[in-house]
Amino acid sequence: MAVAAAAARVWRPSRGLGRAGLPLLRLLGARGLARSHTHRWQQQRHFSSLDDKPQFPGASAEFIDKLEFIQPNVISGIPIYRVMDRQGQIINPSEDPHLPQEKVLKFYKSMTLLNTMDRILYESQRQGRISFYMTNYGEEGTHVGSAAALDDTDLVFGQYREAGVLMYRDYPLELFMAQCYGNVSDLGKGRQMPVHYGCRERHFVTISSPLATQIPQAVGAAYAAKRANANRVVICYFGEGAASEGDAHAGFNFAATLECPIIFFCRNNGYAISTPTSEQYRGDGIAARGPGYGILSIRVDGNDVFAVYNATKEARRRAVAENQPFLIEAMTYRIGHHSTSDDSSAYRSVDEVNYWDKQDHPISRLRHHLQSRGWWDDEQEKAWRKQSRKKVMEAFEQAERKLKPNPNLIFSDVYQEMPAQLRKQQESLARHLQTYGEHYPLDHFEKQVPPNTLRSQAVLEACSARLLHWAGSLVSPFSTLSYTVFSQGLGEGTSGTGHP
Amino acid sequence: MAAVAASAGWLLRLRAAGADGPWRRLCGAGLPRGFLQSASAYGAAAQRRQVAHFTFQPDPEPVEYGQTQKMNLFQAVTSALDNSLAKDPTAGKDRVFNTPLCEQGIVGFGIGIAVTGATAIAEIQFADYIFPAFDQIVNEAAKYRYRSGDLFNCGSLTIRSPWGCVGHGALYHSQSPEAFFAHCPGIKVVVPRSPFQAKGLLLSCIEDKNPCIFFEPKILYRAAVEQVPVEPYNIPLSQAEVIREGSDVTLVAWGTQVHVIREVAAMAQEKLGVSCEVIDLRTILPWDVDTVCKSVIKTGRLLVSHEAPLTGGFASEISSTVQEECFLNLEAPISRVCGYDTPFPHIFEPFYIPDKWKCYDALRKMINY
């Protein structure tokens, strides 16, 4: 396989280590220090006592003899880039991306299909059919505009409110539902709460619940992409709340210092559950933090799908060409509740929500734009609403009917191989169910995995492992070849017991 | 007599310290020579730098892996890393590098590299500083494969970190945090006792398809020297090693403490005529239950020792499992000789650590139970 990399941390000079510790530290750090490559700004310093210029290694700046604190500018913050007005009209024709009709219709259909799916799945949670759900109302533009500007193979790290990215990449409704229902078709094998989607084939890393943890991970992935000369960008989505986490700071700083081709995409939707932005930060949002790390940053109207598209497109082009990070803060509004466990009427007015729903919604703005171009009309709207609803309902009904995966799947994939102790525990559960099975909802779960599936899966795994090994020795990890071998197309029997 | 000899020894060591010695530096600071009295001037019960609490015993030179070279533990680690780096033909200066000072970033970044399939070896400067990365390790790295249904994993991540007491490390340069991670399914935790073990185990961790944490006993970095193969080789994970066979008591430890209990075994044989079986656990998670239980079934007595605090330390897990599996074989309660339930103190280190006398005493009590 390809690339090996090692990270050594800069030694800490002042931790009260004592003399004996320093040589030790030097030794530990020596590898990294000796081998680290010289960055652009690290010039050979010539120290001259005649020179009155600052010599400090930590900043490149002039002296000033006037005491003055820099005022953070929050009254007139970083301006918000937009292409369309609220009625969907292009404001500055030179900013029109001139996308073909087919593509713009795909934007519209992705956003509306997502919206329809959200309504039905939210409702299904209210009815007790699934345990939990998070809607994307109001933020569909941020997902679709950015996804459309990427290559299909650009790696996506999300937070949890980016289903539109997967929708745009044609993730089937069946699989969205399968994950929410945790049924036998779930690629995640029923292990996570709803909306924790993942898809290797579509280069969408599986969602996890802890916030902002994906940010430094995305940076590492981008670094690996750079080393592999993959000409790929990594995009990392997160909310303005998650941007307060330490991991966000870590990710930004690493991306800048290690020169990674990454797009940081912040969905600033006004709320982190019930915490409004006024209680989340005091500075000028997230975009203003970028320059502090040395990152090129922009703020865009997240409800303007073309603005999101343009910004992401340009960021992608430059991130890959220049190996540096970009920060896009997409201003938007979370129209829905945080999740089905939230009732946002407790902390915001219905009027406020209605304003965004009625006056500044990404879907309506795009629809007005489409209509003004003659690419869409009320009849098509009516037909599409009916069709999309039908598609969603069909997938929904099917997902409901399917069984859940075999409980043996509790024990696989903890490690690549199952350790002896875990196998013992698996056997212990099996024995327990033999005696006490009537007290468990076994009827809803798949019985023993069919032997044919196990055997064919094992054969397929062995073949794909061999093929991958061969492929891996030839190509970089970002090759599409290595990805398609790992596709989830193992047929219906994806509920195997994992590795033999 | 012993005190005087000791202080004379201290003076000799000081003189031998040469250019780096404290005398030279203090004199260079412009202080008059008589400013600091020699240690012997303070009296017979002189302060002296402590002697190590263990004696490193090198294993016999390995013959099955080709040419060997004398290496200490950090050189063995470096050798493993060199071997590993050499596997990738795309050599480049951007493969071994500094990062900003941020453990959660280091581990998160390493996870991201591993997710793409590349190998990442992240260093946390001291195990005491691994805690900012705890979330990334426990909530992310350990669960990556499981939560994604094996769509994604970060198996090619290895985290290595200096570990354990060093004589003067105090609270924040002496910790042994393996117990925190032992409670986390999805990662592997490995602790070597020697240079030869370190290289083989580290290479196994790097090649293992699961995220691994490799703790390196820092006190052994220079103190442990033995012949180590120059070429790469693997020592299997999750396999404990019986390094001394015996019939009366089983002693289990890992890392530096293995050398302590080895000495205890020799003392027990000499003073009590007791035959000890000494086991180096090597992998803490998943640990080799079979080897330990097999031994206890034979001996009927178990003593587990580690520097980490007693309560919730990994000896608890071993003890609990062994009493489940080998209850009727036990002749005495299982003994745990560990650090006290305190943070790791500085000046009191000689009293804090589970030294050979404490282990010997516990062993004696077990024999006489």
Side-chain angles (χ1 to χ4, degrees), chain A residues 331-349:
Chain A
M331 309 308 294
T332 179
Y333 187 83
R334 193 196 77 208
I335 290 174
H337 306 300
H338 165 72
S339 72
T340 48
S341 308
D342 176 42
D343 174 10
S344 61
S345 67
Y347 53 83
R348 59 183 184 176
S349 71

Side-chain angles (χ1 to χ4, degrees), chain B residues 7-69:
Chain B
S7 60
W10 183 84
L11 277 171
L12 280 168
R13 260 208 303 284
L14 208 56
R15 228 167 265 138
D20 276 347
W23 277 123
R24 178 65 76 91
R25 215 169 281 171
L26 284 165
C27 294
L31 294 165
R33 217 152 200 268
F35 186 76
L36 282 179
Q37 306 282 351
S38 70
S40 60
Y42 291 116
Q47 305 273 319
R48 62 178 165 87
R49 286 283 299 277
Q50 65 203 70
V51 182
H53 66 289
F54 68 97
T55 309
F56 174 73
Q57 244 185 294
D59 284 328
E61 177 174 353
V63 292
E64 62 269 52
Y65 300 112
Q67 190 201 347
T68 66
Q69 195 179 303

Side-chain angles (χ1 to χ4, degrees), chain A residues 119-132:
Chain A
R119 286 174 203 280
I120 286 167
L121 284 176
Y122 184 89
E123 198 45 46
S124 80
Q125 193 279 340
R126 283 353 239 169
Q127 294 172 11
R129 297 166 190 263
I130 60 175
S131 60
F132 175 83

Side-chain angles (χ1 to χ4, degrees), chain A residues 3-9 11-12 19 191 200 206 208 213 217 223 227 247 410 415-417 477 499, chain B residues 25 88 90 94-95 97-98 103-104 106 112 116 119 121 123 125 136 140 144 146 148 151 187-188 210:
Chain A
V3 185
R9 185 157 73 62
W11 57 280
R12 297 176 185 231
R19 261 169 285 130
R191 287 155 183 167
R200 192 171 181 98
T206 304
S208 73
T213 48
Q217 293 171 21
Y223 190 85
R227 280 221 78 251
D247 272 342
I410 293 172
Y415 298 91
Q416 192 199 40
E417 70 291 345
H499 297 269
Chain B
R25 215 169 281 171
D88 179 355
T90 72
D94 51 345
R95 295 177 61 202
F97 50 91
N98 290 329
E103 288 79 6
Q104 64 193 105
I106 288 167
T116 70
T119 299
I121 305 166
E123 177 189 290
Q125 193 118 88
Q136 285 284 352
E140 297 289 316
Y144 233 91
Y146 188 80
S148 69
L151 292 178
I187 51 170
K188 296 195 176 180
N210 304 286

